[in-house]
Amino acid sequence: MALPTPVLGSEPPLGLPTSLARLRDEFVGRFGGPVEGVRTFFSPGRVNMFGGHLDYNGGPVLPVAIDRGTFLAIRRAESKGRVRLATVFGNDVFEGAIDALPPTASGKWYDYPVGVIRALIASADGDSEDGPLEAGFDVLYGGNLPVGAGLSSSASITVGTAFALDCVFGLGLEPMDRVAAALDAERGYVGVQCGIMDPFAVGFAREKQVLWLDCKDESFEHLPLDFKKLSIGVMDTGVQRALARGEFNRRVAECKAAFEGLKHLEPGATVLRDIPLETVEAHASSLDPDVAKRALHVAREVKRTFRAREAFLAEDFIELGQAMTETHRSFQTHYECSCEELDVLVDAAVAQEGVFGSRLTGAGFGGCIVMLVAAGAEAEVSRVVANAFEARYGRRPPAAFFQGDAGPREVDCSA
Ligand code: GLA
């Protein structure tokens, strides 16, 4: 029987070894065979704090991996050459031959792992006649990350799949190869023209640290965050927009149009991030009005994200929070990727003592907000913000607080 999809909640999670031991038992129940040989993995989700919609424009971003994510139980099929992919959250099971995976996506959840498997096969060097995964394998997916809430359940599953297959088959991948396979799956197979931030945030995560990533040259740096002073809070509107994927791809296209319209003004520019704000402001009227708004958001957000980096390094949480809330205002007026429920949560959050700033996280159009909260104020903030939301919508939005997660890993649940 399928389980309900996860929600953020106040109840303490079971702990990874216990959760993964349950998944492993469920795996044996579904696929049969002995429990020996079943390996279990965790792969985190992420919250993006700064650099909203900048990754596909070559700008800087500052995400953090979180300790909620995808659980995987996996076992080699020993030369049967078959792949079976199942989830505890639904009844759709994928089954196919490893050398004849479907060339086009199905619209089902398993497009993400199938896309990764195809990418890994395609990128493997052709030394042997058989592909690196030719034995085949079975995977059962579970997890504690809400899906479609802006916490990157997609990068969690794609990077996690690449990581688990790398371990089980000894593929010898570098973290960057796993990120590349995840991106290939999402862009080339699923068909979302996303940037590099999410798989990077998951694939290069470090405990109690955030990631500073420059999406133009892919240089990155881990920055420590003192969680004794600052908490990263997330609240979920519960709104899932069916149109989100189309709207996201439209924003990507609008930014491309902005770059095409402005690049002649900045010799050497290769991405929209390279066009200075002054240039965008001076020439905005030459662009389609929507395209101009997107370009203004991007140029200001680039500046704001560098400002946030300085504030972050100086532990100036007031300045940091202001930058975050300004991003949300720009999402409302210029990027048009917010929605009423997100605005209600952000407005309630920033009016509350102990909250330095707040914005929607992820692509927007629904999903979660992120809040920077003074350590110690978490319970009061989530109570008051949930009250404001409940007064309007008659339901309480779930909340959770996170610290930087260590990234994809095998978890021994036999102990
Ligand atoms: C989604 C995409 C990311 C990024 C964010 C917006 O999460 O997958 O690549 O563009 O939206 O910042």
Side-chain angles (χ1 to χ4, degrees), residues 46 48 51-56 61 150 152 154 186 192-199 248 252 331 359 361-364:
R46 68 94 190 90
N48 185 27
H53 285 274
L54 288 192
D55 58 351
Y56 54 86
V61 294
S152 206
S154 54
E186 190 127 21
V192 178
Q193 298 312 313
C194 62
I196 65 173
M197 173 176 71
D198 297 346
F248 182 82
V252 176
F331 281 154
R359 53 161 278 203
T361 190

Side-chain angles (χ1 to χ4, degrees), residues 56-398:
Y56 54 86
N57 289 303
V61 294
L62 206 155
V64 60
I66 59 178
D67 67 357
R68 279 181 178 247
T70 305
F71 305 158
L72 300 91
I74 176 168
R75 186 176 59 200
R76 290 172 71 111
E78 300 309 347
S79 298
K80 293 204 193 95
R82 310 280 305 163
V83 179
R84 289 184 293 180
L85 307 170
T87 171
V88 299
F89 302 122
N91 299 318
D92 285 327
V93 176
F94 173 80
E95 178 157 10
I98 189 76
D99 54 4
L101 294 172
T104 51
S106 63
K108 302 241 163 72
W109 71 273
Y110 48 69
D111 288 343
Y112 292 90
V114 170
V116 171
I117 298 161
R118 286 176 52 92
L120 291 177
I121 293 172
S123 64
D125 56 30
D127 290 358
S128 79
E129 258 182 37
D130 291 324
L133 307 172
E134 104 276 355
F137 50 90
D138 299 325
V139 192
L140 178 64
Y141 292 89
N144 54 5
L145 188 67
V147 175
L151 302 177
S152 206
S153 53
S154 54
S156 177
I157 194 171
T158 51
V159 178
T161 300
F163 186 91
L165 289 172
D166 188 12
C167 291
V168 169
F169 287 90
L171 304 179
L173 302 180
E174 298 293 331
M176 198 57 204
D177 302 327
R178 301 195 281 261
V179 167
L183 274 170
D184 255 28
E186 190 127 21
R187 291 178 181 160
Y189 196 70
V190 177
V192 178
Q193 298 312 313
C194 62
I196 65 173
M197 173 176 71
D198 297 346
F200 260 89
V202 173
F204 288 94
R206 278 202 200 151
E207 202 172 0
K208 293 199 191 299
Q209 305 204 349
V210 303
L211 187 77
W212 171 266
L213 168 67
D214 191 316
C215 299
K216 185 172 179 191
D217 62 8
E218 301 185 2
S219 59
F220 62 87
E221 192 183 345
H222 293 93
L223 304 177
L225 177 54
D226 187 349
F227 288 97
K228 287 194 211 76
K229 296 182 184 154
L230 193 69
S231 253
I232 301 169
V234 169
M235 288 182 91
D236 191 353
T237 60
V239 176
Q240 284 198 16
R241 289 272 165 99
L243 284 177
R245 184 180 293 186
E247 286 292 336
F248 182 82
N249 283 347
R250 184 168 312 139
R251 293 297 177 281
V252 176
E254 287 167 337
C255 289
K256 207 163 165 239
F259 179 64
E260 290 305 316
L262 298 171
K263 67 178 181 196
H264 65 284
L265 299 163
E266 186 66 22
T270 56
V271 282
L272 185 54
R273 171 260 180 92
D274 293 334
I275 315 283
L277 175 58
E278 303 68 41
T279 308
V280 179
E281 282 173 343
H283 295 86
S285 59
S286 69
L287 301 171
D288 164 272
D290 281 347
V291 169
K293 282 201 270 185
R294 313 307 181 230
L296 284 166
H297 165 80
V298 168
R300 291 179 185 141
E301 183 72 356
V302 169
K303 283 196 140 179
R304 206 165 19 239
T305 305
F306 281 107
R307 200 179 110 209
R309 180 191 156 95
E310 292 313 309
F312 187 94
L313 294 174
E315 292 201 348
D316 182 346
F317 298 144
I318 292 180
E319 168 74 359
L320 190 66
Q322 266 166 13
M324 180 177 267
T325 307
E326 282 170 30
T327 295
H328 190 75
R329 301 304 172 212
S330 178
F331 281 154
Q332 291 176 290
T333 56
H334 284 70
Y335 222 70
E336 296 173 290
C337 62
S338 190
C339 67
E340 188 193 270
E341 290 86 346
L342 285 165
D343 297 342
V344 165
L345 282 182
V346 167
D347 289 345
V350 297
Q352 179 59 21
E353 203 178 319
V355 176
F356 295 110
S358 179
R359 53 161 278 203
L360 69 83
T361 190
F365 311 104
C368 291
I369 64 155
V370 54
M371 312 175 279
L372 296 182
V373 178
E378 296 88 345
E380 182 64 2
V381 164
S382 35
R383 190 182 67 78
V384 173
V385 177
N387 284 350
F389 190 90
E390 188 178 24
R392 180 108 172 214
Y393 299 108
R395 59 190 170 86
R396 290 185 82 71

